[in-house]
Amino acid sequence: GAVVSQHPSRVICKSGTSVKIECRSLDFQATTMFWYRQFPKQSLMLMATSNEGSKATYEQGVEKDKFLINHASLTLSTLTVTSAHPEDSSFYICSARFGRVPYGYTFGSGTRLTVV
Amino acid sequence: AQSVSQHNHHVILSEAASLELGCNYSYGGTVNLFWYVQYPGQHLQLLLKYFSGDPLVKGIKGFEAEFIKSKFSFNLRKPSVQWSDTAEYFCAVTVTGGGNKLTFGTGTQLKVEL
């Protein structure tokens, strides 16, 4: 149980365009999801916490206007990279919290974004 | 804010060797500790977790970890590694009452040679 599906797995886009990444909880309701960015050979850096039905909470230094997060339902959160630039190229991973305190966390398979 | 340190960035072992990966965290309150593994091209998978109780935690695939509160440590161990254990390993922590956000260590890349 507690499976998260993330799509697409890979995307290449042109500089200046926007890209949407979806994260779905398949067998549970995810009131809280998280979006991470992973640079090559580095750790996962939390970008934002996505709460169903409310605004996302962004970590310090993350541009909320560039990385738009929508969590309109209990099973879907989306991350839209707006006006993408080559420096936005990275591996983006979503995660969902499940259960009760102390929570468990499950992860999507990640999206490799390449901006050309 | 809590932080997690993994001192071994790259580890190379021969099959059947024993493994210990270090993890230290910096927070004095109640923590929940996790070890995740990321096999090449795959998503993060939970190896084991510690919430409370017995500080020696056993996980999947023969891994175990010991929580030593006095040392703020949660080291991962496996008595005999296999080639299939080649992966990246991440220690992570959440703080009870701290927003329940996972904070990850920098990761350890383990390579097991035949």
Side-chain angles (χ1 to χ4, degrees), chain A residues 38 91 93 108-109 112, chain B residues 19 35-47 60-63 76 78 82-90 108-110 112:
Chain A
Q38 186 178 27
F91 195 58
I93 301 172
S109 52
R112 172 73 60 195
Chain B
L19 169 72
W35 274 99
Y36 287 92
V37 61
Q38 189 176 30
Y39 297 103
Q42 296 189 28
H43 63 279
L44 282 161
Q45 299 174 39
L46 180 67
L47 275 178
I60 62 171
K61 305 187 181 190
F63 286 92
L76 181 71
K78 185 171 183 178
Q82 300 173 308
W83 177 80
S84 58
D85 293 324
T86 295
E88 186 140 25
Y89 293 80
F90 293 95
T108 297
Q109 183 67 52
L110 171 66
V112 180

Side-chain angles (χ1 to χ4, degrees), chain A residues 17-65:
Chain A
T17 63
S18 296
V19 173
K20 180 184 284 187
I21 302 169
E22 292 189 348
C23 183
R24 294 181 183 273
S25 58
L26 299 184
D27 52 359
F28 69 105
Q29 292 183 330
T31 55
T32 301
M33 291 186 173
F34 304 90
W35 287 95
Y36 293 87
R37 184 171 178 176
Q38 186 178 27
F39 292 98
K41 301 190 184 300
Q42 294 190 32
S43 187
L44 284 77
M45 302 300 297
L46 180 65
M47 298 174 65
T49 301
S50 168
N51 296 298
E52 185 268 335
S54 64
K55 290 183 179 181
T57 303
Y58 290 82
E59 296 298 303
Q60 192 172 11
V62 177
E63 298 177 63
K64 59 181 67 176
D65 293 330

Side-chain angles (χ1 to χ4, degrees), chain B:
Chain B
Q2 68 267 25
S3 66
V4 181
S5 298
Q6 290 181 245
H7 306 295
N8 315 103
H9 298 295
H10 291 90
V11 174
I12 301 174
L13 294 173
S14 298
E15 268 205 327
S18 64
L19 169 72
E20 181 161 2
L21 300 182
C23 173
N24 289 89
Y25 63 92
S26 64
Y27 186 74
T30 302
V31 294
N32 306 298
L33 297 154
F34 306 78
W35 274 99
Y36 287 92
V37 61
Q38 189 176 30
Y39 297 103
Q42 296 189 28
H43 63 279
L44 282 161
Q45 299 174 39
L46 180 67
L47 275 178
L48 48 79
K49 61 183 184 290
Y50 172 81
F51 291 162
S52 65
D54 188 344
L56 184 60
V57 180
K58 294 192 184 299
I60 62 171
K61 305 187 181 190
F63 286 92
E64 65 178 32
E66 185 175 13
F67 170 54
I68 302 179
K69 189 174 182 179
S70 61
K71 294 184 178 181
F72 297 88
S73 70
F74 189 56
N75 292 355
L76 181 71
R77 299 194 291 250
K78 185 171 183 178
S80 176
V81 294
Q82 300 173 308
W83 177 80
S84 58
D85 293 324
T86 295
E88 186 140 25
Y89 293 80
F90 293 95
C91 182
V93 62
T94 64
V95 173
T96 299
N100 294 298
K101 297 185 291 187
L102 268 174
T103 298
F104 284 87
T106 49
T108 297
Q109 183 67 52
L110 171 66
K111 182 178 180 181
V112 180
E113 298 177 331
L114 295 171

